[in-house]
Amino acid sequence: MWILYVVQNTATHEPYIGVTGNLKERLRTHNAKGKKFTTRKNGKWILIYAEAYRSKEDAMLREKR
């Protein structure tokens, strides 16, 4: 199963939309404070929305919309 998700940073309030096969691990990665684009020094990424899809292709099409 593939998940389209929307997270929001608690400090900057900026949203991020993504697709993953493991939502729990992806949220952990967002909040790891690493060097990736989606990590931030301040705040925490919180899940605000998620949709489940059977195929990665369907999830990615939805992400583009």
Side-chain angles (χ1 to χ4, degrees):
M1 181 181 318
W2 290 89
I3 308 293
L4 166 93
Y5 66 95
V6 180
V7 291
Q8 185 176 36
N9 186 280
T10 57
T12 63
H13 303 287
E14 65 183 299
Y16 176 83
I17 301 170
V19 171
T20 186
N22 185 338
L23 185 57
K24 185 177 179 178
E25 178 62 24
R26 188 66 181 118
L27 285 172
R28 188 193 65 73
T29 304
H30 277 297
N31 287 309
K33 307 254 189 265
K35 295 181 180 179
K36 294 186 178 186
F37 170 76
T38 58
T39 60
R40 298 292 178 269
K41 292 180 182 178
N42 298 319
K44 179 179 176 184
W45 291 100
I46 57 171
L47 181 68
I48 59 173
Y49 185 76
E51 292 178 1
Y53 291 88
R54 290 184 180 162
S55 74
K56 184 176 183 179
E57 293 78 20
D58 289 343
M60 292 180 81
L61 283 173
R62 176 69 167 135
E63 179 186 22
K64 290 180 183 180
R65 284 190 239 144

PDB file of all heavy atoms in Angstrom, residues 33-45:
ATOM      1  N   LYS A  33      16.139  15.798  11.836  1.00  0.00           N
ATOM      2  CA  LYS A  33      17.003  16.981  11.854  1.00  0.00           C
ATOM      3  C   LYS A  33      18.292  16.752  11.064  1.00  0.00           C
ATOM      4  O   LYS A  33      19.364  17.167  11.454  1.00  0.00           O
ATOM      5  CB  LYS A  33      17.339  17.399  13.281  1.00  0.00           C
ATOM      6  CG  LYS A  33      16.139  17.591  14.168  1.00  0.00           C
ATOM      7  CD  LYS A  33      15.858  19.017  14.416  1.00  0.00           C
ATOM      8  CE  LYS A  33      14.805  19.211  15.470  1.00  0.00           C
ATOM      9  NZ  LYS A  33      13.495  19.369  14.954  1.00  0.00           N
ATOM     10  N   GLY A  34      18.174  16.082   9.942  1.00  0.00           N
ATOM     11  CA  GLY A  34      19.324  15.805   9.086  1.00  0.00           C
ATOM     12  C   GLY A  34      19.566  16.918   8.089  1.00  0.00           C
ATOM     13  O   GLY A  34      19.202  18.071   8.315  1.00  0.00           O
ATOM     14  N   LYS A  35      20.175  16.587   6.969  1.00  0.00           N
ATOM     15  CA  LYS A  35      20.520  17.581   5.960  1.00  0.00           C
ATOM     16  C   LYS A  35      19.582  17.566   4.762  1.00  0.00           C
ATOM     17  O   LYS A  35      19.808  18.259   3.790  1.00  0.00           O
ATOM     18  CB  LYS A  35      21.953  17.334   5.479  1.00  0.00           C
ATOM     19  CG  LYS A  35      22.982  17.535   6.556  1.00  0.00           C
ATOM     20  CD  LYS A  35      24.364  17.306   6.050  1.00  0.00           C
ATOM     21  CE  LYS A  35      25.382  17.506   7.151  1.00  0.00           C
ATOM     22  NZ  LYS A  35      26.740  17.269   6.692  1.00  0.00           N
ATOM     23  N   LYS A  36      18.531  16.780   4.817  1.00  0.00           N
ATOM     24  CA  LYS A  36      17.608  16.692   3.689  1.00  0.00           C
ATOM     25  C   LYS A  36      16.746  17.947   3.587  1.00  0.00           C
ATOM     26  O   LYS A  36      16.574  18.691   4.541  1.00  0.00           O
ATOM     27  CB  LYS A  36      16.717  15.455   3.820  1.00  0.00           C
ATOM     28  CG  LYS A  36      17.503  14.170   3.697  1.00  0.00           C
ATOM     29  CD  LYS A  36      16.585  12.995   3.683  1.00  0.00           C
ATOM     30  CE  LYS A  36      17.405  11.735   3.498  1.00  0.00           C
ATOM     31  NZ  LYS A  36      16.576  10.573   3.343  1.00  0.00           N
ATOM     32  N   PHE A  37      16.168  18.139   2.403  1.00  0.00           N
ATOM     33  CA  PHE A  37      15.322  19.301   2.130  1.00  0.00           C
ATOM     34  C   PHE A  37      14.171  19.425   3.121  1.00  0.00           C
ATOM     35  O   PHE A  37      13.804  20.519   3.509  1.00  0.00           O
ATOM     36  CB  PHE A  37      14.776  19.208   0.701  1.00  0.00           C
ATOM     37  CG  PHE A  37      13.721  20.223   0.388  1.00  0.00           C
ATOM     38  CD1 PHE A  37      14.072  21.548   0.159  1.00  0.00           C
ATOM     39  CD2 PHE A  37      12.391  19.873   0.342  1.00  0.00           C
ATOM     40  CE1 PHE A  37      13.109  22.499  -0.119  1.00  0.00           C
ATOM     41  CE2 PHE A  37      11.418  20.817   0.061  1.00  0.00           C
ATOM     42  CZ  PHE A  37      11.783  22.129  -0.173  1.00  0.00           C
ATOM     43  N   THR A  38      13.610  18.303   3.547  1.00  0.00           N
ATOM     44  CA  THR A  38      12.419  18.348   4.385  1.00  0.00           C
ATOM     45  C   THR A  38      12.700  18.418   5.875  1.00  0.00           C
ATOM     46  O   THR A  38      11.772  18.421   6.662  1.00  0.00           O
ATOM     47  CB  THR A  38      11.534  17.122   4.115  1.00  0.00           C
ATOM     48  OG1 THR A  38      12.305  15.949   4.369  1.00  0.00           O
ATOM     49  CG2 THR A  38      11.026  17.113   2.698  1.00  0.00           C
ATOM     50  N   THR A  39      13.951  18.476   6.281  1.00  0.00           N
ATOM     51  CA  THR A  39      14.244  18.609   7.708  1.00  0.00           C
ATOM     52  C   THR A  39      14.421  20.086   8.059  1.00  0.00           C
ATOM     53  O   THR A  39      14.822  20.888   7.228  1.00  0.00           O
ATOM     54  CB  THR A  39      15.497  17.815   8.119  1.00  0.00           C
ATOM     55  OG1 THR A  39      16.607  18.301   7.384  1.00  0.00           O
ATOM     56  CG2 THR A  39      15.324  16.337   7.876  1.00  0.00           C
ATOM     57  N   ARG A  40      14.080  20.450   9.276  1.00  0.00           N
ATOM     58  CA  ARG A  40      14.202  21.829   9.742  1.00  0.00           C
ATOM     59  C   ARG A  40      14.859  21.848  11.115  1.00  0.00           C
ATOM     60  O   ARG A  40      14.694  20.919  11.903  1.00  0.00           O
ATOM     61  CB  ARG A  40      12.820  22.492   9.847  1.00  0.00           C
ATOM     62  CG  ARG A  40      12.078  22.604   8.534  1.00  0.00           C
ATOM     63  CD  ARG A  40      12.781  23.597   7.612  1.00  0.00           C
ATOM     64  NE  ARG A  40      12.131  23.697   6.323  1.00  0.00           N
ATOM     65  CZ  ARG A  40      12.428  22.965   5.260  1.00  0.00           C
ATOM     66  NH1 ARG A  40      13.351  22.055   5.326  1.00  0.00           N
ATOM     67  NH2 ARG A  40      11.812  23.137   4.115  1.00  0.00           N
ATOM     68  N   LYS A  41      15.587  22.919  11.410  1.00  0.00           N
ATOM     69  CA  LYS A  41      16.211  23.055  12.722  1.00  0.00           C
ATOM     70  C   LYS A  41      15.169  23.329  13.795  1.00  0.00           C
ATOM     71  O   LYS A  41      15.318  22.912  14.936  1.00  0.00           O
ATOM     72  CB  LYS A  41      17.240  24.192  12.700  1.00  0.00           C
ATOM     73  CG  LYS A  41      18.448  23.883  11.853  1.00  0.00           C
ATOM     74  CD  LYS A  41      19.435  25.026  11.870  1.00  0.00           C
ATOM     75  CE  LYS A  41      20.618  24.713  10.973  1.00  0.00           C
ATOM     76  NZ  LYS A  41      21.570  25.801  10.924  1.00  0.00           N
ATOM     77  N   ASN A  42      14.126  24.057  13.427  1.00  0.00           N
ATOM     78  CA  ASN A  42      13.082  24.416  14.382  1.00  0.00           C
ATOM     79  C   ASN A  42      11.796  23.684  14.053  1.00  0.00           C
ATOM     80  O   ASN A  42      11.494  23.424  12.900  1.00  0.00           O
ATOM     81  CB  ASN A  42      12.823  25.926  14.352  1.00  0.00           C
ATOM     82  CG  ASN A  42      14.047  26.711  14.754  1.00  0.00           C
ATOM     83  OD1 ASN A  42      14.751  26.340  15.669  1.00  0.00           O
ATOM     84  ND2 ASN A  42      14.307  27.794  14.052  1.00  0.00           N
ATOM     85  N   GLY A  43      11.024  23.405  15.072  1.00  0.00           N
ATOM     86  CA  GLY A  43       9.719  22.796  14.875  1.00  0.00           C
ATOM     87  C   GLY A  43       9.785  21.309  14.609  1.00  0.00           C
ATOM     88  O   GLY A  43      10.846  20.702  14.563  1.00  0.00           O
ATOM     89  N   LYS A  44       8.618  20.748  14.441  1.00  0.00           N
ATOM     90  CA  LYS A  44       8.458  19.326  14.210  1.00  0.00           C
ATOM     91  C   LYS A  44       7.454  19.150  13.077  1.00  0.00           C
ATOM     92  O   LYS A  44       6.519  19.936  12.946  1.00  0.00           O
ATOM     93  CB  LYS A  44       7.928  18.680  15.492  1.00  0.00           C
ATOM     94  CG  LYS A  44       7.695  17.213  15.408  1.00  0.00           C
ATOM     95  CD  LYS A  44       7.192  16.683  16.736  1.00  0.00           C
ATOM     96  CE  LYS A  44       6.866  15.212  16.595  1.00  0.00           C
ATOM     97  NZ  LYS A  44       6.293  14.670  17.821  1.00  0.00           N
ATOM     98  N   TRP A  45       7.658  18.153  12.236  1.00  0.00           N
ATOM     99  CA  TRP A  45       6.705  17.849  11.176  1.00  0.00           C
ATOM    100  C   TRP A  45       5.590  16.987  11.763  1.00  0.00           C
ATOM    101  O   TRP A  45       5.848  15.963  12.381  1.00  0.00           O
ATOM    102  CB  TRP A  45       7.381  17.098  10.040  1.00  0.00           C
ATOM    103  CG  TRP A  45       8.347  17.935   9.272  1.00  0.00           C
ATOM    104  CD1 TRP A  45       9.699  17.945   9.408  1.00  0.00           C
ATOM    105  CD2 TRP A  45       8.052  18.893   8.250  1.00  0.00           C
ATOM    106  NE1 TRP A  45      10.265  18.845   8.529  1.00  0.00           N
ATOM    107  CE2 TRP A  45       9.275  19.427   7.806  1.00  0.00           C
ATOM    108  CE3 TRP A  45       6.874  19.340   7.652  1.00  0.00           C
ATOM    109  CZ2 TRP A  45       9.353  20.401   6.805  1.00  0.00           C
ATOM    110  CZ3 TRP A  45       6.957  20.294   6.652  1.00  0.00           C
ATOM    111  CH2 TRP A  45       8.169  20.818   6.242  1.00  0.00           C
TER     112      TRP A  45
END
